[in-house]
Amino acid sequence: MNAPFFKFGLFGDEASLIVAFIIGIGFGFFLERAGFGSGRKLAAQFYFTDMTVFKVMFTAIVTAMLGLFWLSVLGVVDLSLVYVSQTYLAPQIVGGLILGVGFVIGGYCPGTSCVSAATGRYDAMIYILGIIAGVFVFGEAYPLLKDFYSSGAMGKVTLPELFGVSYGLVVFLVVLMAVGGFVGAEWVEKKLAAKVKGVQQ
Amino acid sequence: MNTIDVAAPEDIEERAPVEVIHKAQPFWNSYLAGIGLGLVLLAAFVIMGRGLGASGAFSSLVSVGINVVSPEHAQANGFFSENLGDGVHHPLKDWLVFEVMGVVVGGFVSGLFAHRLKGSVEKGPRISTGKRFLFAFLGGGIMGFGAKLARGCTSGQALTGGAVLGVGSWAFMLAVFAGGYAVAYFFRRQWT
Amino acid sequence: MHELTTTRMNPQIDPTLHIWGWEIPVYLFLGGLVAGIMIISGYFIFKERYKHSYFSCFWLPHISLLLLSAGMFALFLDLEHKLYVWRLYTAFKISSPMSWGSWILILVYPTLLATTLTRIPPAFQNRIKVFDKISTFINQHPTAVKNIGVLSMIVGAILGMYTGVLLSALGARPLWSSAVLWVLFLTSGLSAAAAFVHMITDDVYERELLAKADNGFLIFELFVFAQFIIGLLSSTQMHQNAAHLLLNGPYAAVFWVFVVGMGIIIPLIIQLLAVNHKVKHTPIAPIMVIVGGLILRFVIVSAGQYSHWASAGL
């Protein structure tokens, strides 16, 4: 049991920043490989013409989730030291809805906008300016929002704890759900491609 | 007067090299890219005990900016002062700030290797560039606000929180898709 | 900065030095950049490539005059008693690197002027008769041109080296007392200059040649870094502490990510692929090299002031 390495003191804060940079390079690299440097591709998710966002996101979640699960079962990773953010149900749901709206209007999310701006898209650069403005507005409005911001607090609760089932069962169900979702996504994409072809004929 | 003849290069090595035109490569298979992304996320968990993120870097950036312009205002505001750190470390020496710098470099390198670097505007055929810029700014503003309210964006809350099965993160993820699908119809002219 | 009337025991010196701000690193960078430019344009003039309208021989000397003057202005801003700056040139103290430095800059300006006169751009012709006459004279004597090229290379090399020599003469700062600091500064200046020219030139041959030269300088710079660190690590405890400042101390993140990662390794990979025609030439890589060089100077000056002999045993 010697992972997460940082939490076991393998390296210090300065080195963790170097690790952050390297991990960020990997993150940006795969985001761009998937095509998330293109706002059109990202927004097409919400018109059912291109399900790449769903496929990539859930593949990534399932991969990391399975990896964590099996590494913890093998005793390599100490799951209690892995950071789980606190759940504040109300602001997270409302914030998520707002974020979804911003996603469709702007065409990016903060991570993908950086990747897109790095590959030369001017609208992504303006989007980044928008994010800065949005964060500024939130900061200024924070005294008014403080109570709502901390409402619905449930602490660090995970899905297995919430439903009272075992970790492995939830992992299994999530994998099933993801596979079902992928099959559905492929079907939707094919159907819409056929529809577009039909229209063109 | 200057009497220089501009002679043509005589050495063989001074022939101008041929410029090679590179065509943009197709994107990777979504599942392969997703696995790659998932492995990077897993590496972050195993090495650091934390996941990825993006919007946190913007909080730090804005807070530092406000602090430079008006330190009293920054200290008085709960949100900005929280992001300015404990006074020991410079707030820009933050894990997420370095990670986002890596994202920019990684995205650039990937785009360069795949010949996908191009100064362009991503938009549908039915909208003008000016309107697209306006929507991009608005969308960014809304997304920035929402991300701070939810304490994360799709990278931090959805990907990271989803992988560790956090309840709030999964609720957030469903809300993002719901919000997006709900308003997609009204903005179809921008994209299709 | 406050001029010191005591030699010790004041908060500007103990425990760490707080004398030099941003002006010195900016000057070090611009000085190194101009030094590299002088070597590159000197080489082009020496090889008589000025016969073809290469950028290096054309506008580069003029740009370096501007850059060097900006650097000198930064130095001037750092002075405490600015009105007495002329006193630097009323004496030459042979045992003082600082004095050497002031006089070397007196050599640099005429050399740059001579380099500009090897070929006056059409926009500047017929403006100043004296320059036109000198230029014609130079061009009628091919050996004069070659000598100007050699002079430019030598004076450029001295300019790039002396700042490193000056810092390494300050034995009280363990980080700076390394034998290869001047090699590091000279190489960094050369690579920044090669990146700069590679970025702004129109001529494809020149761009390819300078990108390849830049790759060579970057690889050499990696070796020089290794020698620099190893030299410090093989020395006294204070020198080892100073080296650890950069390797895993408070300056580690900035050093590895900005100076080595984004300043050398990533642009090197990009430029290696570009000169082999695997990817398009992009201005981003040379910009990274130039910014990396600037941040290197900031790190060396700042970390150098932080390192001190009283840290033994801490």
Side-chain angles (χ1 to χ4, degrees):
Chain A
M1 185 83 71
N2 48 17
F5 301 127
F6 178 67
K7 298 279 167 82
F8 277 91
L10 188 69
F11 51 87
D13 283 334
E14 286 283 328
S16 79
L17 293 176
I18 303 173
V19 169
F21 183 68
I22 298 175
I23 288 182
I25 293 182
F27 186 28
F29 185 82
F30 284 112
L31 278 180
E32 207 280 336
R33 287 281 130 167
F36 288 168
S38 161
R40 292 196 70 180
K41 203 166 167 62
L42 287 167
Q45 165 72 32
F46 294 100
Y47 297 97
F48 296 106
T49 48
D50 187 336
M51 305 293 278
T52 309
V53 172
F54 174 77
K55 289 196 281 189
V56 171
M57 223 166 94
F58 273 87
T59 313
I61 291 175
V62 164
T63 310
M65 180 184 69
L66 281 175
L68 267 182
F69 176 70
W70 286 112
L71 284 176
S72 75
V73 161
L74 288 172
V76 175
V77 170
D78 185 353
L79 265 185
S80 65
L81 291 175
V82 174
Y83 174 71
V84 177
S85 61
Q86 306 228 358
T87 297
Y88 291 90
L89 211 50
Q92 278 179 316
I93 292 181
V94 172
L97 288 170
I98 297 177
L99 208 128
V101 171
F103 204 139
V104 171
I105 299 180
Y108 301 103
C109 82
T112 52
S113 69
C114 290
V115 166
S116 185
T119 48
R121 310 297 193 256
Y122 302 124
D123 53 322
M125 298 177 199
I126 295 192
Y127 185 89
I128 290 178
L129 293 176
I131 297 181
I132 293 176
V135 170
F136 173 68
V137 167
F138 179 81
E140 293 299 316
Y142 183 70
L144 304 166
L145 294 169
K146 216 168 20 172
D147 299 320
F148 180 67
Y149 186 67
S150 318
S151 69
M154 290 169 68
K156 293 189 179 191
V157 56
T158 60
L159 287 175
E161 290 166 24
L162 182 72
F163 294 124
V165 296
S166 75
Y167 181 33
L169 182 63
V170 176
V171 169
F172 178 66
L173 289 175
V174 168
V175 172
L176 271 185
M177 193 186 76
V179 170
F182 296 150
V183 168
E186 293 292 334
W187 178 81
V188 165
E189 271 184 349
K190 257 198 217 61
K191 187 154 165 257
L192 259 124
K195 192 162 136 202
V196 168
K197 266 212 200 98
V199 167
Q200 282 173 347
Q201 275 165 3
Chain B
M1 297 298 286
N2 268 341
T3 51
I4 302 297
D5 301 322
V6 182
E10 282 135 8
D11 324 48
I12 293 179
E13 56 178 307
E14 295 198 31
R15 252 181 294 123
V18 177
E19 288 264 18
V20 182
I21 311 292
H22 300 283
K23 227 176 63 151
Q25 287 176 5
F27 298 123
W28 268 16
N29 177 298
S30 306
Y31 300 113
L32 285 181
I35 291 178
L37 206 60
L39 289 175
V40 170
L41 180 56
L42 185 62
F45 282 132
V46 171
I47 300 178
M48 291 293 308
R50 61 170 296 169
L52 306 169
S55 56
F58 287 99
S59 314
S60 299
L61 193 66
V62 172
S63 303
V64 168
I66 302 280
N67 198 33
V68 164
V69 172
S70 162
E72 321 85 42
H73 182 75
Q75 297 299 333
N77 185 304
F79 177 71
F80 295 134
S81 58
E82 190 188 321
N83 277 303
L84 284 173
D86 46 11
V88 176
H89 286 112
H90 193 274
L92 285 181
K93 262 178 121 175
D94 171 68
W95 203 87
L96 279 178
V97 172
F98 274 75
E99 192 239 21
V100 167
M101 281 195 288
V103 168
V104 173
V105 171
F108 175 78
V109 165
S110 171
L112 180 71
F113 289 0
H115 317 300
R116 277 196 285 262
L117 286 185
K118 198 160 159 228
S120 54
V121 177
E122 292 279 332
K123 64 177 187 69
R126 292 197 279 170
I127 191 173
S128 69
T129 308
K131 271 223 191 85
R132 169 72 191 117
F133 283 163
L134 178 67
F135 281 136
F137 187 80
L138 272 177
I142 296 175
M143 158 101 36
F145 190 89
K148 288 296 101 192
L149 188 60
R151 293 179 168 78
C153 65
T154 44
S155 329
Q157 283 281 0
L159 274 183
T160 307
V164 295
L165 302 174
V167 169
S169 306
W170 277 86
F172 169 80
M173 210 172 8
L174 295 172
V176 170
F177 278 100
Y181 280 115
V183 295
Y185 175 74
F186 301 104
F187 292 95
R188 65 194 183 287
R189 231 175 356 135
Q190 192 185 187
W191 299 114
T192 55
Chain C
M1 68 162 232
H2 296 296
E3 214 176 72
L4 303 162
T5 50
T6 63
T7 51
R8 207 66 238 207
M9 303 306 175
N10 69 72
Q12 297 250 295
I13 294 193
D14 280 323
T16 61
L17 199 59
H18 296 290
I19 303 267
W20 283 346
W22 63 268
E23 297 92 346
I24 300 291
V26 166
Y27 165 68
L28 290 180
F29 172 70
L30 287 173
L33 180 65
V34 169
I37 290 177
M38 283 175 78
I39 296 177
I40 290 175
S41 59
Y43 174 75
F44 269 67
I45 292 174
F46 176 70
K47 287 287 217 177
E48 294 188 28
R49 288 197 168 128
Y50 65 93
K51 286 204 177 109
H52 194 69
S53 64
Y54 287 128
F55 188 89
S56 298
C57 314
F58 231 159
W59 287 106
L60 211 49
H62 299 81
I63 294 180
S64 23
L65 274 170
L66 284 169
L67 287 173
L68 190 61
S69 306
M72 297 287 286
F73 184 65
L75 260 188
F76 177 73
L77 285 177
D78 178 67
L79 290 175
E80 177 70 11
H81 298 291
K82 297 179 171 55
L83 290 175
Y84 293 101
V85 65
W86 54 273
R87 290 205 170 186
L88 281 167
Y89 297 102
T90 56
F92 176 59
K93 204 168 166 193
I94 202 164
S95 56
S96 157
M98 204 73 94
S99 190
W100 277 93
S102 336
W103 285 96
I104 282 171
L105 281 152
I106 297 285
L107 278 181
V108 169
Y109 276 99
T111 314
L112 278 175
L113 189 63
T115 323
T116 65
L117 290 176
T118 53
R119 187 162 185 203
I120 300 182
F124 289 165
Q125 278 174 12
N126 300 324
R127 298 283 178 112
I128 304 176
K129 292 287 176 205
V130 178
F131 288 165
D132 283 336
K133 273 205 272 190
I134 299 179
S135 185
T136 322
F137 173 80
I138 291 173
N139 284 300
Q140 284 163 351
H141 296 86
T143 44
V145 177
K146 280 205 148 122
N147 285 334
I148 289 178
V150 171
L151 185 70
S152 180
M153 285 198 277
I154 292 179
V155 176
I158 294 177
L159 174 66
M161 286 193 275
Y162 98 88
T163 44
V165 171
L166 190 138
L167 283 186
S168 53
L170 215 64
R173 297 294 131 198
L175 184 71
W176 294 337
S177 68
S178 160
V180 294
L181 194 63
W182 66 265
V183 186
L184 181 63
F185 279 7
L186 182 62
T187 314
S188 172
L190 268 169
S191 91
F196 181 65
V197 182
H198 155 221
M199 186 170 65
I200 52 181
T201 184
D202 299 323
D203 188 270
V204 175
Y205 169 74
E206 197 177 349
R207 189 178 65 193
E208 292 283 323
L209 179 69
L210 278 156
K212 290 177 193 167
D214 196 14
N215 290 342
F217 295 140
L218 286 171
I219 294 175
F220 187 64
E221 199 176 342
L222 283 174
F223 279 108
V224 175
F225 265 121
Q227 297 306 317
F228 176 63
I229 301 285
I230 291 172
L232 286 174
L233 286 174
S234 328
S235 199
T236 70
Q237 179 68 44
M238 278 67 66
H239 288 95
Q240 290 173 28
N241 291 349
H244 281 297
L245 276 178
L246 290 183
L247 289 179
N248 47 25
Y251 292 89
V254 176
F255 176 69
W256 285 109
V257 170
F258 288 109
V259 178
V260 180
M262 299 222 293
I264 301 185
I265 294 184
I266 293 175
L268 179 62
I269 294 174
I270 295 176
Q271 281 182 187
L272 278 172
L273 288 168
V275 298
N276 288 306
H277 303 298
K278 295 283 195 300
V279 295
K280 213 167 55 164
H281 274 283
T282 161
I284 302 288
I287 290 176
M288 284 170 122
V289 172
I290 291 173
V291 172
L294 180 64
I295 296 183
L296 167 69
R297 302 301 197 284
F298 270 97
V299 168
I300 296 274
V301 169
S302 189
Q305 296 187 87
Y306 190 80
S307 68
H308 56 101
W309 282 84
S311 66
L314 285 173

Coordinates of all heavy atoms in Angstrom, one line a residue, chain C residues 11-39:
Chain C
P11 N 19.6 44.3 6.7 CA 18.6 43.3 6.1 C 18.7 43.2 4.6 O 18.0 42.2 4.1 CB 17.3 43.9 6.6 CG 17.6 45.3 7.0 CD 19.0 45.4 7.4
Q12 N 19.4 44.0 3.9 CA 19.4 43.8 2.5 C 20.4 42.8 2.1 O 20.4 42.3 1.0 CB 19.8 45.2 1.8 CG 18.8 46.3 2.1 CD 18.1 46.6 0.8 OE1 18.7 47.1 -0.1 NE2 16.8 46.4 0.7
I13 N 21.3 42.4 3.0 CA 22.3 41.4 2.7 C 22.1 40.1 3.5 O 22.3 39.0 3.0 CB 23.7 41.9 3.0 CG1 24.0 43.1 2.0 CG2 24.8 40.8 2.8 CD1 25.5 43.5 2.0
D14 N 21.8 40.2 4.8 CA 21.6 39.0 5.6 C 20.2 38.8 5.9 O 19.5 39.7 6.2 CB 22.4 39.2 6.9 CG 23.9 38.9 6.8 OD1 24.2 38.0 6.0 OD2 24.7 39.6 7.4
P15 N 19.7 37.6 6.0 CA 20.4 36.4 5.5 C 20.4 36.2 4.0 O 21.2 35.4 3.5 CB 19.6 35.2 6.2 CG 18.2 35.8 6.3 CD 18.3 37.2 6.5
T16 N 19.5 36.8 3.3 CA 19.6 36.7 1.9 C 19.7 38.0 1.2 O 19.2 39.0 1.8 CB 18.3 35.9 1.3 OG1 17.2 36.7 1.6 CG2 18.2 34.6 1.9
L17 N 20.2 38.0 0.0 CA 20.4 39.3 -0.7 C 19.1 39.8 -1.3 O 18.4 39.0 -1.9 CB 21.5 39.0 -1.8 CG 22.2 40.2 -2.4 CD1 23.0 41.0 -1.4 CD2 23.1 39.7 -3.5
H18 N 18.8 41.0 -1.1 CA 17.6 41.6 -1.7 C 17.9 42.8 -2.6 O 17.1 43.8 -2.6 CB 16.6 42.0 -0.6 CG 16.1 40.9 0.2 ND1 15.3 40.0 -0.2 CD2 16.4 40.6 1.5 CE1 15.0 39.1 0.8 NE2 15.7 39.5 1.8
I19 N 19.0 42.8 -3.2 CA 19.5 44.0 -3.9 C 18.9 44.2 -5.3 O 18.4 45.2 -5.7 CB 21.0 44.1 -3.9 CG1 21.6 44.0 -2.5 CG2 21.4 45.4 -4.6 CD1 21.8 45.2 -1.8
W20 N 19.0 43.1 -6.0 CA 18.6 43.2 -7.4 C 17.2 42.8 -7.7 O 16.7 41.7 -7.3 CB 19.6 42.3 -8.2 CG 20.9 42.9 -8.4 CD1 21.3 44.2 -8.1 CD2 22.1 42.2 -8.9 NE1 22.6 44.3 -8.4 CE2 23.1 43.2 -8.8 CE3 22.4 40.9 -9.3 CZ2 24.4 42.8 -9.2 CZ3 23.7 40.6 -9.6 CH2 24.7 41.6 -9.6
G21 N 16.5 43.6 -8.4 CA 15.1 43.4 -8.8 C 15.0 42.9 -10.2 O 15.8 42.1 -10.7
W22 N 14.0 43.4 -10.9 CA 13.8 42.9 -12.3 C 14.7 43.5 -13.3 O 14.9 42.9 -14.3 CB 12.3 43.2 -12.7 CG 12.0 44.6 -12.7 CD1 11.5 45.4 -11.8 CD2 12.2 45.5 -13.9 NE1 11.4 46.7 -12.2 CE2 11.8 46.8 -13.5 CE3 12.7 45.3 -15.1 CZ2 11.9 47.9 -14.3 CZ3 12.7 46.4 -16.0 CH2 12.3 47.7 -15.6
E23 N 15.3 44.6 -12.9 CA 16.1 45.3 -14.0 C 17.3 44.5 -14.4 O 17.6 44.4 -15.6 CB 16.6 46.7 -13.4 CG 15.5 47.7 -13.1 CD 15.1 47.6 -11.7 OE1 15.4 46.6 -11.0 OE2 14.4 48.5 -11.2
I24 N 18.0 43.9 -13.4 CA 19.2 43.1 -13.7 C 18.9 41.9 -14.6 O 19.5 41.7 -15.6 CB 19.9 42.7 -12.5 CG1 20.3 44.0 -11.7 CG2 21.1 41.9 -12.8 CD1 21.4 44.8 -12.4
P25 N 17.9 41.0 -14.3 CA 17.6 39.9 -15.2 C 17.2 40.4 -16.6 O 17.6 39.7 -17.5 CB 16.5 39.2 -14.5 CG 16.6 39.6 -13.0 CD 17.1 40.9 -13.0
V26 N 16.5 41.5 -16.7 CA 16.1 41.9 -18.0 C 17.3 42.3 -18.8 O 17.5 42.0 -20.0 CB 15.1 43.1 -17.9 CG1 15.0 43.8 -19.2 CG2 13.7 42.6 -17.4
Y27 N 18.2 43.0 -18.1 CA 19.5 43.4 -18.8 C 20.3 42.2 -19.2 O 20.8 42.1 -20.3 CB 20.3 44.4 -18.0 CG 21.7 44.4 -18.6 CD1 21.9 45.1 -19.8 CD2 22.8 43.8 -18.0 CE1 23.2 45.1 -20.4 CE2 24.0 43.8 -18.5 CZ 24.2 44.5 -19.7 OH 25.5 44.4 -20.3
L28 N 20.4 41.2 -18.3 CA 21.2 40.0 -18.6 C 20.6 39.3 -19.8 O 21.4 38.9 -20.7 CB 21.2 39.1 -17.4 CG 22.0 39.5 -16.2 CD1 21.8 38.5 -15.1 CD2 23.4 39.7 -16.5
F29 N 19.3 39.3 -19.9 CA 18.7 38.6 -21.0 C 18.9 39.4 -22.3 O 19.3 38.8 -23.3 CB 17.2 38.4 -20.8 CG 16.4 37.9 -22.0 CD1 16.6 36.6 -22.4 CD2 15.6 38.8 -22.7 CE1 16.0 36.2 -23.5 CE2 15.0 38.3 -23.8 CZ 15.1 37.0 -24.2
L30 N 18.7 40.7 -22.3 CA 18.8 41.4 -23.5 C 20.3 41.4 -23.9 O 20.6 41.4 -25.1 CB 18.3 42.9 -23.3 CG 16.8 43.0 -23.3 CD1 16.4 44.4 -22.9 CD2 16.2 42.6 -24.6
G31 N 21.2 41.5 -22.9 CA 22.6 41.5 -23.3 C 23.0 40.2 -23.9 O 23.7 40.1 -24.9
G32 N 22.5 39.1 -23.4 CA 22.8 37.8 -24.0 C 22.2 37.6 -25.3 O 22.8 37.1 -26.3
L33 N 20.9 38.2 -25.5 CA 20.3 38.1 -26.8 C 21.1 38.8 -27.9 O 21.3 38.3 -29.0 CB 18.9 38.6 -26.7 CG 18.0 38.6 -27.9 CD1 17.7 37.2 -28.4 CD2 16.7 39.4 -27.7
V34 N 21.5 40.1 -27.5 CA 22.3 40.9 -28.5 C 23.6 40.2 -28.7 O 24.1 40.2 -29.9 CB 22.5 42.3 -27.9 CG1 23.5 43.1 -28.7 CG2 21.2 43.0 -27.9
A35 N 24.2 39.6 -27.7 CA 25.5 38.9 -27.9 C 25.3 37.8 -29.0 O 26.1 37.6 -29.9 CB 26.0 38.3 -26.6
G36 N 24.2 37.0 -28.8 CA 24.0 35.9 -29.7 C 23.7 36.5 -31.1 O 24.2 35.9 -32.1
I37 N 23.0 37.6 -31.2 CA 22.7 38.2 -32.5 C 24.0 38.6 -33.2 O 24.2 38.4 -34.4 CB 21.7 39.3 -32.4 CG1 20.3 38.8 -32.0 CG2 21.6 40.1 -33.6 CD1 19.3 39.9 -31.8
M38 N 24.9 39.2 -32.4 CA 26.1 39.7 -33.0 C 27.0 38.5 -33.5 O 27.6 38.6 -34.6 CB 27.0 40.4 -31.9 CG 26.4 41.8 -31.6 SD 27.3 42.6 -30.3 CE 28.8 43.1 -31.1
I39 N 26.9 37.4 -32.8 CA 27.7 36.3 -33.2 C 27.1 35.8 -34.5 O 27.8 35.5 -35.5 CB 27.7 35.2 -32.2 CG1 28.5 35.7 -31.0 CG2 28.4 33.9 -32.7 CD1 28.5 34.7 -29.8

